[in-house]
Amino acid sequence: MQQIVINKRDMPYDVNEAMKLLRTNLQFCGKDKKVILITSTLADEGKSTVALNLCRSLAQLGSRVILVDADMRKSVLADRYNRGDRNQPGLSHLLSARSGLEEVLLETDMENLHIILAGRVPPNPAELLSNSRMQKLLEICREEYDYVIVDTPPINLVVDAAIVAPLCDGIVMVVSSGNVPYRMAQSALDQLQATGCPVLGAVLNMVDQKNDKYYYRKGYYRKGYYQKYYGSYYGDYRKRLEKSKRSKK
Ligand SMILES: Nc1ncnc2c1ncn2[C@@H]1O[C@H](COP(=O)(O)OP(=O)(O)OP(=O)(O)O)[C@@H](O)[C@H]1O
Ligand SMILES: [Mg+2]
């Protein structure tokens, strides 16, 4: 099995402490909460960072953990750990039956932590996630691991998280402090609750205790970025959905 290095640097003290708290809160949600979906309202709120650090924190304690990178549209993790080569077998290959589980499962330099990276950007991420192979994958992971952490795209921009949520035991919503309008976050929460999967809680991320205004400014500038990357994907998906509805008529 191929191995990737994710634990080169220790987490900074405050991040480590925050992750321990998140880990403990998760453990207190009950033993039946094993498959955890991580999402947010908008892009860049820190989902992948929180997902990976939570996995590291759980693995440090000896739990067997797998991180499933289900953001097949714009996976930062796949770009980072496959050195930008998205052709390496990953989730999209598995869900489209191009690769088997043993080909996409990666070991890490942490004994208890495995990862499945997103794989190549597929033309139809939402349809792939609705595929029964995704359900099967999570069933296998549930058997093999103590925790399955599923990193997904933002709920307000694409439907992917809402598709995977019913297969999970709980949702953790990452909220970037000062960057998300209240109504948008509320609408994201409503969408998540409508999936029937319990929202276990939220992580307030990127909190700047010294100077809140700076973070407002940063969020404002980043808005173009969110729309640039996810707006078009959403548009594509909507078009495909409409096209498939028309062809069914
Ligand atoms: N608490 C934090 N403090 C400072 N920077 C952070 C924090 N959390 C995440 N970041 C940084 O913010 C950027 C976006 O983080 P990340 O990729 O985890 O977000 P994301 O929500 O997964 O984004 P996307 O929607 O694109 O998948 C990264 O550069 C990351 O290092
Ligand atoms: Mg991400």
Side-chain angles (χ1 to χ4, degrees), residues 40 42-49 71 74 76 154 205-206 222 230:
S40 67
L42 297 171
D44 249 3
E45 294 198 63
K47 296 175 290 299
S48 303
T49 308
D71 187 351
K74 179 170 123 15
V76 171
N205 194 26
M206 301 193 191
R222 282 183 179 189
Y230 280 105

Side-chain angles (χ1 to χ4, degrees), residues 151-236:
D151 183 23
T152 61
I155 182 85
N156 261 27
L157 302 179
V158 284
V159 295
D160 305 19
I163 291 172
V164 183
L167 309 175
C168 300
D169 303 326
I171 298 171
V172 171
M173 189 172 160
V174 176
V175 182
S176 166
S177 170
N179 286 331
V180 188
Y182 173 81
R183 281 186 186 202
M184 255 194 205
Q186 185 62 57
S187 137
L189 183 60
D190 291 345
Q191 286 183 65
L192 291 172
Q193 281 167 338
T195 66
C197 179
V199 179
L200 303 176
V203 172
L204 187 62
N205 194 26
M206 301 193 191
V207 178
D208 182 12
Q209 285 155 338
K210 286 188 202 133
N211 185 2
D212 270 352
K213 278 183 190 158
Y214 170 73
Y215 276 80
Y216 270 98
R217 219 167 42 233
K218 194 164 124 190
Y220 179 74
Y221 281 127
R222 282 183 179 189
K223 268 186 185 160
Y225 179 74
Y226 306 136
Q227 303 310 333
K228 189 172 143 202
Y229 281 91
Y230 280 105
S232 62
Y233 289 127
Y234 188 54
D236 289 346

Side-chain angles (χ1 to χ4, degrees), residues 1-4 66-69 72 78 81-82 86-108 113-120 133-134 137 140-141 145:
M1 210 189 287
Q2 200 188 322
Q3 199 196 64
I4 56 171
I66 183 163
L67 174 60
V68 179
D69 177 10
M72 292 182 282
Y81 294 115
N82 278 334
R86 295 287 300 267
N87 287 324
Q88 293 284 333
L91 186 65
S92 60
H93 299 78
L94 181 74
L95 298 184
S96 56
R98 282 158 192 258
S99 302
L101 184 54
E102 63 291 348
E103 288 170 88
V104 301
L105 196 61
L106 302 175
E107 278 180 349
T108 71
L113 175 55
H114 289 167
I115 292 192
I116 295 177
L117 292 173
R120 194 186 179 142
R133 284 198 184 88
M134 183 66 187
L137 169 68
I140 294 171
C141 292
Y145 298 90

